[in-house]
């Protein structure tokens, strides 16, 4: 379980750090995919493919639960759920990792610092 917790926190911390720097949501996100441009004009895409979590083409972990390993939920400035990219001001990230009979769930709510 320690390995799962380590992998989960490492991946989540990276995602939180980078998503905070978003300045433009570049495509309509969904529950397992989020694409944005950061303050350095880099395009970043976090997504799940099978049991893998990717940042662009880089693998962050191979331990995601294949059915619900990565879940994004989007909110406006007042905390109401929204799918409208012009209203999005925060995102909740939930990671569910599995290995053998063990499972770990971690999540974090991230406020965009550079989207007005």
């Amino acid at each position: 379980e320690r390995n799962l917790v380590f992998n989960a926190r490492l991946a989540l911390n990276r995602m939180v750090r980078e998503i905070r720097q978003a300045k433009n949501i570049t495509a309509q996100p969904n529950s397992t995919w989020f694409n944005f441009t950061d303050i350095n004009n880099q395009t970043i895409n976090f997504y799940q493919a099978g049991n893998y979590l990717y940042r662009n083409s880089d693998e962050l972990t191979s331990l995601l639960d294949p059915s619900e390993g990565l879940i994004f939920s989007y909110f406006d400035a007042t905390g109401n759920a929204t799918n409208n990219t012009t209203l999005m001001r925060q995102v909740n990230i939930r990671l569910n990792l599995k290995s053998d009979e063990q499972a770990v769930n971690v999540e974090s709510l991230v406020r965009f610092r550079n989207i007005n």
Side-chain angles (χ1 to χ4, degrees), residues 9-44:
R9 292 198 184 280
L10 189 66
L12 184 66
N13 288 342
R14 171 120 188 228
M15 294 173 75
V16 167
R17 186 174 60 249
E18 294 196 41
I19 289 173
R20 273 195 185 119
Q21 301 301 315
K23 73 172 186 178
N24 185 29
I25 300 169
T26 53
Q28 182 64 46
N30 65 36
S31 63
T32 61
W33 178 83
F34 186 51
N35 187 289
F36 62 94
T37 304
D38 70 8
I39 58 173
N40 299 313
N41 292 318
Q42 261 192 305
T43 299
I44 299 171

Side-chain angles (χ1 to χ4, degrees), residues 76-89:
D76 65 16
T78 60
N80 293 313
T82 185
N83 287 323
N84 183 334
T85 57
T86 61
L87 297 177
M88 290 177 188
R89 296 299 178 268

Side-chain angles (χ1 to χ4, degrees), residues 28-76:
Q28 182 64 46
N30 65 36
S31 63
T32 61
W33 178 83
F34 186 51
N35 187 289
F36 62 94
T37 304
D38 70 8
I39 58 173
N40 299 313
N41 292 318
Q42 261 192 305
T43 299
I44 299 171
N45 184 17
F46 289 109
Y47 64 97
Q48 177 174 354
N51 59 322
Y52 293 89
L53 170 61
Y54 289 99
R55 178 205 180 270
N56 297 341
S57 61
D58 298 330
E59 177 188 315
L60 298 183
T61 185
S62 63
L63 299 171
L64 285 183
D65 179 328
S67 61
E68 290 190 329
L70 174 63
I71 302 169
F72 289 112
S73 305
Y74 305 95
F75 302 93
D76 65 16

Side-chain angles (χ1 to χ4, degrees), residues 69-111:
L70 174 63
I71 302 169
F72 289 112
S73 305
Y74 305 95
F75 302 93
D76 65 16
T78 60
N80 293 313
T82 185
N83 287 323
N84 183 334
T85 57
T86 61
L87 297 177
M88 290 177 188
R89 296 299 178 268
Q90 47 195 340
V91 58
N92 190 76
I93 310 162
R94 182 177 173 99
L95 296 177
N96 302 309
L97 277 67
K98 268 183 140 174
S99 177
D100 300 321
E101 299 301 316
Q102 299 175 340
V104 170
N105 303 316
V106 294
E107 67 182 288
S108 185
L109 182 66
V110 182
R111 295 182 193 278

